[in-house]
Amino acid sequence: MKKIIITTTLLLGTVFIYAQKAEPVRQVKEYTTSTEDPHNPLVNGIPYNQYKAQVQTEEKNSAAAEVKARKEAVTKKLEIQRKIENATSEQSVQEKK
């Protein structure tokens, strides 16, 4: 009788120990399924491909604007230099007369 009680106690003890360690039975949980493509993640709320294209066009536009601004600056400098050269040549012509 003692052996039956001891054996039952040990069995119940091990069952309770493993029951506490085991992961609880999952109840019905709401899982939100992502509509996001794992190969094309979202960046700032838009797909990466669109974001990448948008950034590239912005970079091209800014580079083009920078090149245009540099060309305008160079042409202004050349105009100023020509005006200075014309003024100095006119002064030298007037001095010779």
Side-chain angles (χ1 to χ4, degrees):
M1 186 70 171
K2 284 184 180 181
K3 289 182 181 179
I4 294 174
I5 294 172
I6 292 173
T7 305
T8 308
T9 308
L10 286 174
L11 285 175
L12 287 176
T14 54
V15 167
F16 287 134
I17 289 171
Y18 284 112
Q20 288 178 355
K21 289 182 180 179
E23 193 171 315
V25 178
R26 292 186 178 173
Q27 299 296 325
V28 177
K29 292 183 180 179
E30 291 183 24
Y31 289 102
T32 56
T33 56
S34 176
T35 58
E36 181 180 330
D37 182 12
H39 302 292
N40 192 16
L42 294 179
V43 178
N44 294 336
I46 58 174
Y48 178 72
N49 291 341
Q50 284 180 334
Y51 175 76
K52 185 176 176 183
Q54 180 182 357
V55 168
Q56 287 176 346
T57 55
E58 288 174 0
E59 288 176 352
K60 286 179 184 178
N61 291 341
S62 65
E66 185 176 338
V67 167
K68 184 178 178 182
R70 285 184 182 176
K71 284 183 180 179
E72 289 176 0
V74 168
T75 55
K76 285 181 182 179
K77 283 183 181 179
L78 289 175
E79 287 177 13
I80 292 171
Q81 287 178 352
R82 286 180 191 151
K83 287 180 182 178
I84 292 172
E85 289 174 0
N86 288 341
T88 55
S89 64
E90 287 177 8
Q91 285 178 355
S92 63
V93 170
Q94 288 176 358
E95 289 176 0
K96 289 180 182 179
K97 287 184 182 180

